[in-house]
């Protein structure tokens, strides 16, 4: 156990005991780097259906996702046995996903919705969909457990950010199931569900990082909570608007009312992140003083 230098509360270390999840995440990032080099020399199109850009972005996204899970899993208060089961479900699902996404695209086969593949390719794609649902179920399990943690609990600011992040991940999972049902990522004339899916999952970084910065900052607790709430709510509303707009079959990059309002919400979130970073790097006059207590003067010592 270590102690937060500002709030003097015991805290569980991020990534503690999650060596294999960390390795699994790094495998995805390493694969994405290798694929980027392949694309540079060979191009990204692999006929008839493959696109190595998809493999690059997928492996990088899963790698970052698994590293994020490795960071927060020690905070969820699972028993050792349950935590081990969850860990290995994540690892096995991720490894299969890396392999099928990379190998099939390299072979020129769409790993999910192939129209030219053999029966084996179709079965592999169906299994890929099942694996995706397993990842959805694991994310829901973690979300439920983080919301069921009762106070007082360790690292409350981080737990708050994680709860908001999993609400965003829940929306991303809905987009993922939507794509499975459609057997495609496109909807309507110009809607692309992958934007909603990707942004929703990246809340595990965009909403947790500010909370981590703020728990180390020397600033009043009410300011910390306001920043986390305002930034996270803005992010969730942005995700909701993107989902509605995509559901209408419209591109989120067009200059209409919903994307414009979503952009405003994005900048509200960004302002909260910048504020958290500023408070984080702000010089600390006396780390041993309570936050709300002014420094002692020579007269009142």
């Amino acid at each position: 156990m270590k102690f937060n230098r500002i709030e003097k509360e015991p805290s569980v270390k991020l990534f503690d005991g999650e060596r294999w999840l960390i390795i699994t995440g790094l495998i995805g990032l390493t694969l994405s780097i290798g694929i980027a080099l392949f694309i540079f020399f060979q191009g990204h199109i692999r006929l008839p259906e493959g696109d190595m850009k998809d493999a690059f972005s997928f492996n990088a996204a899963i790698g970052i996702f698994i590293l994020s899970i490795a960071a927060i899993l020690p905070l969820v208060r699972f028993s050792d046995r349950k935590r081990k089961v969850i860990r290995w479900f994540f690892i096995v699902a991720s490894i299969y996903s890396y392999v099928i996404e990379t190998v099939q695209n390299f072979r020129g086969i769409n790993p999910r919705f192939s129209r030219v593949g053999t029966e084996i390719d179709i079965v592999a794609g169906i299994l890929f969909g099942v694996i995706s649902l397993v990842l959805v179920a694991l994310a829901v399990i973690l979300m439920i457990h983080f919301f069921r943690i009762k106070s007082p609990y360790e690292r409350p600011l981080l737990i708050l950010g994680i709860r908001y992040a999993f609400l965003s991940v829940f929306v991303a999972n809905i987009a993922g199931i939507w794509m499975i049902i459609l057997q495609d990522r496109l909807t309507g004339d110009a809607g692309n569900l992958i934007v909603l899916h990707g942004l929703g999952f990246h809340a595990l970084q965009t909403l947790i990082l500010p909370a981590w910065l703020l728990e180390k900052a020397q600033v009043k607790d009410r300011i910390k909570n306001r920043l986390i709430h305002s930034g996270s709510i803005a992010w969730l509303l942005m995700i909701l608007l993107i989902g509605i707009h995509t559901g209408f079959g419209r591109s989120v990059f067009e200059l209409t009312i919903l994307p414009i309002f979503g952009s405003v919400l994005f900048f509200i979130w960004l302002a909260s992140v910048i504020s958290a970073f500023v408070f984080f790097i702000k010089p600390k006059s006396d780390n041993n003083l309570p936050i709300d207590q002014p420094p002692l003067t020579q007269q009142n010592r």
Side-chain angles (χ1 to χ4, degrees), residues 92-113:
V92 172
S94 300
I95 294 299
Y96 179 83
S97 299
Y98 292 150
V99 172
I100 197 70
E101 181 75 26
T102 304
V103 171
Q104 292 295 76
N105 273 298
F106 183 79
R107 292 178 59 229
I109 301 296
N110 187 317
R112 298 171 184 80
F113 316 119

Side-chain angles (χ1 to χ4, degrees), residues 4-299:
N4 186 296
R5 63 184 179 185
I6 302 302
E7 297 179 354
K8 303 300 183 184
E9 293 181 358
S11 58
V12 179
K13 293 171 64 177
L14 299 181
F15 297 103
D16 187 33
E18 296 304 333
R19 175 186 176 186
W20 290 108
L21 272 179
I22 294 171
I23 292 173
T24 303
L26 292 176
I27 288 173
L29 296 180
T30 303
L31 275 173
S32 65
I33 294 172
I35 293 169
L37 293 173
F38 176 88
I39 292 172
F40 179 79
F41 291 106
Q42 300 291 331
H44 65 95
I45 297 299
R46 303 288 292 179
L47 296 177
E49 297 178 314
D51 190 337
M52 296 306 291
K53 281 186 177 180
D54 291 341
F56 164 78
S57 59
F58 179 86
N59 288 327
I62 291 295
I64 294 171
F65 170 71
I66 292 299
L67 286 173
S68 301
I69 294 298
I72 65 176
L73 194 56
L75 301 174
V76 77
R77 292 184 178 180
F78 280 144
S79 65
D80 290 342
R81 181 180 178 181
K82 190 169 186 178
R83 181 172 165 184
K84 183 177 180 180
V85 170
I86 294 292
R87 176 189 304 128
W88 283 102
F89 265 115
F90 271 118
I91 290 172
V92 172
S94 300
I95 294 299
Y96 179 83
S97 299
Y98 292 150
V99 172
I100 197 70
E101 181 75 26
T102 304
V103 171
Q104 292 295 76
N105 273 298
F106 183 79
R107 292 178 59 229
I109 301 296
N110 187 317
R112 298 171 184 80
F113 316 119
S114 178
R115 292 176 172 84
V116 300
T118 65
E119 289 80 1
I120 294 178
D121 295 319
I122 294 172
V123 171
I126 293 173
L127 183 57
F128 200 4
V130 173
I131 291 295
S132 299
L133 293 177
V134 169
L135 290 173
V136 169
L138 292 172
V140 171
I141 290 171
L142 288 180
M143 179 181 72
I144 291 172
H145 275 78
F146 271 111
F147 274 95
R148 290 180 62 185
I149 295 176
K150 296 180 181 180
S151 60
Y153 42 76
E154 298 169 0
R155 309 190 77 163
L157 293 174
L158 204 54
I159 296 295
L160 180 60
I162 291 170
R163 287 173 171 175
Y164 273 118
F166 271 110
L167 291 176
S168 179
V169 168
F170 185 75
V171 176
N173 284 328
I174 292 175
I177 295 172
W178 194 349
M179 285 188 286
I180 292 174
I181 294 173
L182 291 177
Q183 292 288 288
D184 202 346
R185 64 180 60 181
L186 303 178
T187 179
D189 294 331
N192 191 341
L193 290 165
I194 202 67
V195 177
L196 176 63
H197 187 65
L199 285 176
F201 270 111
H202 279 303
L204 288 171
Q205 299 86 49
T206 60
L207 302 187
I208 293 176
L209 177 61
W212 180 80
L213 293 172
L214 285 169
E215 74 174 1
K216 297 177 178 295
Q218 187 172 352
V219 64
K220 293 181 179 179
D221 288 341
R222 60 183 176 84
I223 296 177
K224 295 180 180 182
N225 282 284
R226 283 179 184 177
L227 282 173
I228 294 174
H229 283 300
S230 60
S232 299
I233 291 172
W235 180 272
L236 291 176
L237 289 175
M238 178 189 71
I239 292 295
L240 180 62
L241 292 181
I242 289 174
I244 294 172
H245 197 67
T246 303
F248 287 143
R250 310 286 293 275
S251 170
V252 297
F253 301 107
E254 65 182 25
L255 293 177
T256 54
I257 183 64
L258 290 182
I260 291 173
F261 190 33
S263 298
V264 172
L265 292 168
F266 171 82
F267 283 110
I268 292 175
W269 163 80
L270 183 60
S272 71
V273 175
I274 293 173
S275 299
F277 182 72
V278 169
F279 285 129
F280 173 74
I281 64 174
K282 184 179 180 180
K284 299 169 179 60
S285 57
D286 190 341
N287 289 333
N288 295 319
L289 289 176
I291 293 173
D292 295 322
Q293 177 179 334
L296 295 175
T297 63
Q298 187 67 32
Q299 182 177 359

